[in-house]
């Protein structure tokens, strides 16, 4: 989730690193276990590889926890924090992961180019990577360290393509940083990116910019407020929209969007 606002409406503040968190690139953390319950590859070699690939330092939150999920036949362990919208897994991410897992062949994810908006702690990008996609995970600058840590920790040795991490502030520098002549994506994915913030027009503009002929946008969201439905109305003006799935237990709806061309 792209964090235009933190939980209290402000940028989250710093605090001391909890034991075992990745507040510094050189710190070590536990490796994820695979579906058989053992470590994924050689522990020391994997940790060294993870450290050498880590480019961003996780935000200095006081409270990190490790949460586990099971998707694509793997146990995934994500570092999360309640101090930021962008450091938590939200209901729509779970729903989209379930959909990707159940429709992998239909979606033809093997080697598909995928970009995620508001990737947060990275669950959707991790699952898409393990399912074979070439993923670019994007979010606000303060989210990127924890996002990259989670991606590397859960895809190193498990995915054919290690996911990339890029800064993307909705509506800013789109043609400069993601020029249409150089970047093409088979899928643009976004989960729980619509909530009580003031970046909805920028979000819609970013979605449209990243889509070209043949691009499919998958947007999953928990519908909470009237503004969520207002955004959906604007979304339908820009995209040919299909409701792919509903998850009543979490009030999540999953939409497929194809950019309308004049």
């Amino acid at each position: 989730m792209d964090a235009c606002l933190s939980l209290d409406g402000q940028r989250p503040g710093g605090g001391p690193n909890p034991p075992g968190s990745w507040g510094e690139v050189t710190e070590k953390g536990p490796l994820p276990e695979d579906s058989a319950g053992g470590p994924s590859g050689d522990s020391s070699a994997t940790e060294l590889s993870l450290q050498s690939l880590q480019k961003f330092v996780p935000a200095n939150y006081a409270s990190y926890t490790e949460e586990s999920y099971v998707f694509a036949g793997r146990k995934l362990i994500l570092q999360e924090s309640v101090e930021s919208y962008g450091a938590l897994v939200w209901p729509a991410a779970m729903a989209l992961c379930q959909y990707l897992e159940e429709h992998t062949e239909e979606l033809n994810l093997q080697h598909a180019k995928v970009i995620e908006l508001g990737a947060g702690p990275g669950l959707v990008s991790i699952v898409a990577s393990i399912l074979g996609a070439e993923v670019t995970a994007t979010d606000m600058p303060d989210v990127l360290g924890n996002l990259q840590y989670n991606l590397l920790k859960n895809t190193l040795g498990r995915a054919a393509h290690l996911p990339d991490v890029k800064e993307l502030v909705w509506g800013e520098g789109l043609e400069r940083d993601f020029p249409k002549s150089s970047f093409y994506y088979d899928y643009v994915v976004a989960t729980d990116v619509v909530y009580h913030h003031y970046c909805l027009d920028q979000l819609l503009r970013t979605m449209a910019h990243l889509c070209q002929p043949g691009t499919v946008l998958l947007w999953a969201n928990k519908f909470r407020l009237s503004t969520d439905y207002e955004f959906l109305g604007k979304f339908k003006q820009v995209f040919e929209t299909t409701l792919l799935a509903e998850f009543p237990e979490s009030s999540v709806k999953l939409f497929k969007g194809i950019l309308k061309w004049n």
Side-chain angles (χ1 to χ4, degrees), residues 16 38 82 89 91 101 103 122 127 137 143-144 151 155-156 165 187 198-199 214 236:
V82 297
V89 170
E101 186 177 47
H103 297 81
V127 172
V143 175
L144 299 185
L151 292 176
T155 63
L156 198 61
V165 175
Y187 290 97
Y198 306 102
C199 309
K236 289 180 176 179

Side-chain angles (χ1 to χ4, degrees), residues 126-166:
I126 290 166
V127 172
S129 296
I130 291 174
L131 292 174
E134 298 182 42
V135 176
T136 300
T138 71
D139 214 309
M140 300 282 281
D142 58 308
V143 175
L144 299 185
N146 191 55
L147 170 59
Q148 186 176 54
Y149 169 67
N150 284 333
L151 292 176
L152 289 172
K153 183 177 180 181
N154 288 280
T155 63
L156 198 61
R158 291 177 165 184
H161 309 283
L162 278 181
D164 191 20
V165 175
K166 294 193 70 171

Side-chain angles (χ1 to χ4, degrees), residues 187-206:
Y187 290 97
V188 177
V189 299
T191 63
D192 269 330
V193 289
V194 177
Y195 52 102
H196 58 283
H197 61 70
Y198 306 102
C199 309
L200 296 181
D201 289 341
Q202 296 94 318
L203 169 61
L204 190 59
R205 186 162 67 249
T206 301

Side-chain angles (χ1 to χ4, degrees), residues 42-60:
D42 178 76
S43 175
S44 59
T46 304
E47 283 290 351
L48 289 172
S49 298
L50 192 154
Q51 292 176 29
S52 66
L53 291 169
Q54 184 87 7
K55 295 183 295 184
F56 304 101
V57 177
N60 197 19

